[in-house]
């Protein structure tokens, strides 16, 4: 395999990034093929990790009773979280479809093991959270690989970790990081659901880039070209 990416390969990568969606409402009943699921898991397992600690595990779930327990936790947590929503948005919040636990073919719980390879991990001593960040890298790898395989993924974060620990028999030291729903879909939406629902606006890249120091938006000569490219919102995904 050549280390250099062809233009076609680069285009495919950017396409996966730009068309990835958090899928909740478009799952169908077609099962995911074993070879496809294995490829997706292998991609997740190839994620970077602090100190090469590889602190993740992937719990694959198809059991309907387990899914039902997780679904019940979602309903309880969503009901509880409604109290935190402004009255002006409460009705819209309760109407949103925010999970596909029962509709998706496979649920995957990705966990973090802080004890893997012992108490000392290179790079984690100053910032312990890098272990969790490593698991998030695995989630992103999985998500992009799944999109390239035409498999939808939805991350369900309105859940009780205590419920997950009990339902999945997790040891005390294991931390559930992501509960994902995977399955074939009828379509990948043109826009993310929450953007389409106008829940929040999409920020432009120029709104989140500073130069040299926090809050500094004025470019200097060294940053002039990238400042202009960012301002014009250059989009590599469709070049």
């Amino acid at each position: 395999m050549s280390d250099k990416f062809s233009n076609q390969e680069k285009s495919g990568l950017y396409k996966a990034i730009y068309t990835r969606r958090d899928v909740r409402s478009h799952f169908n009943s077609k099962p995911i093929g074993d070879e496809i699921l294995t490829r997706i898991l292998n991609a997740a397992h190839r994620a970077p990790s602090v100190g090469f600690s590889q602190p993740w595990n992937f719990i694959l779930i198809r059991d309907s009773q387990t899914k039902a327990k997780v679904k019940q936790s979602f309903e309880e947590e969503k009901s509880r979280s409604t109290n935190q929503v402004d009255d002006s948005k409460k009705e819209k919040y309760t109407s949103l479809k925010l999970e596909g636990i029962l509709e998706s073919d496979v649920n995957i719980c990705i966990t973090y093991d802080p004890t893997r390879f012992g108490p000392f991990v290179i790079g984690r001593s100053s910032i312990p959270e890098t272990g969790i960040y490593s698991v998030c890298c695995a989630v992103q790898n999985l998500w992009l690989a799944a999109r390239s395989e035409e498999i939808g993924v939805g991350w369900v974060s309105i859940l009780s970790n205590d419920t997950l620990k009990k339902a999945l028999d997790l040891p005390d030291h294991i931390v559930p990081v992501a509960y994902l729903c995977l399955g074939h879909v009828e379509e990948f939406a043109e826009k993310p659901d929450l953007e389409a629902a106008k829940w929040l606006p999409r920020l432009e890249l120029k709104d989140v880039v500073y130069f040299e120091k926090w809050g500094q938006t004025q470019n200097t000569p060294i940053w002039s070209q990238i400042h202009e490219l960012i301002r014009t919102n250059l989009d590599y995904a469709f070049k």
Side-chain angles (χ1 to χ4, degrees):
M1 179 185 295
S2 171
D3 291 337
K4 186 176 181 179
F5 284 75
S6 68
N7 287 336
Q8 184 177 11
E9 289 168 334
K10 286 189 286 187
S11 178
L13 172 61
Y14 283 112
K15 181 179 179 180
I17 291 170
Y18 277 74
T19 63
R20 179 211 58 80
R21 294 290 177 263
D22 194 351
V23 178
R24 289 87 174 262
S25 55
H26 301 295
F27 289 112
N28 61 38
S29 59
K30 181 181 176 181
I32 302 173
D34 290 344
E35 290 188 4
I36 291 176
L37 184 56
T38 303
R39 285 198 296 268
I40 292 170
L41 290 170
N42 262 317
H45 186 50
R46 287 290 183 140
S49 60
V50 63
F52 200 54
S53 56
Q54 306 151 78
W56 44 68
N57 281 89
F58 307 95
I59 304 175
L60 309 183
I61 303 156
R62 276 195 171 120
D63 181 74
S64 59
Q65 292 185 348
T66 302
K67 287 184 177 182
K69 291 178 183 178
V70 178
K71 170 76 170 182
Q72 180 61 34
S73 175
F74 165 82
E75 297 293 353
E76 292 172 357
E77 293 299 313
K78 185 179 180 185
S79 177
R80 186 177 62 82
S81 66
T82 301
N83 298 324
Q84 303 174 35
V85 182
D86 290 342
D87 289 341
S88 61
K89 302 182 79 172
K90 191 167 294 187
E91 184 176 353
K92 176 176 279 191
Y93 176 70
T94 56
S95 69
L96 292 171
K97 172 70 169 169
L98 298 176
E99 51 76 37
I101 297 167
L102 302 181
E103 300 92 333
S104 57
D105 178 40
V106 176
N107 291 184
I108 302 179
C109 184
I110 305 183
T111 61
Y112 169 54
D113 183 353
T115 68
R116 185 158 296 165
F117 295 119
F120 177 74
V121 171
I122 293 175
R124 200 178 66 186
S125 57
S126 298
I127 307 176
E129 294 85 359
T130 51
I132 295 286
Y133 301 160
S134 299
V135 178
C136 291
C137 289
V139 174
Q140 182 76 332
N141 269 21
L142 183 150
W143 219 329
L144 295 177
R147 179 62 187 89
S148 73
E149 298 280 2
E150 300 295 309
I151 300 297
V153 178
W155 187 334
V156 186
S157 57
I158 307 174
L159 288 176
S160 163
N161 273 358
D162 289 338
T163 297
L164 287 181
K165 281 179 168 286
K166 292 177 183 177
L168 303 177
D169 293 334
L170 300 184
D172 290 340
H173 69 285
I174 296 296
V175 180
V177 175
Y179 194 89
L180 308 177
C181 304
L182 279 72
H184 286 278
V185 296
E186 296 299 334
E187 64 175 347
F188 286 94
E190 182 178 348
K191 294 182 178 181
D193 289 351
L194 294 183
E195 181 183 5
K198 296 183 172 21
W199 180 257
L200 290 173
R202 176 176 290 280
L203 299 174
E204 299 292 342
L205 179 59
K206 64 182 177 60
D207 299 323
V208 296
V209 174
Y210 298 142
F211 298 94
E212 303 295 352
K213 294 182 180 179
W214 178 266
Q216 187 165 303
T217 59
Q218 296 300 315
N219 70 307
T220 58
I222 195 173
W223 294 114
S224 59
Q225 184 173 3
I226 193 169
H227 180 270
E228 180 62 20
L229 290 171
I230 289 172
R231 189 185 66 79
T232 55
N233 199 29
L234 182 64
D235 188 343
Y236 293 100
F238 305 104
K239 298 299 181 184

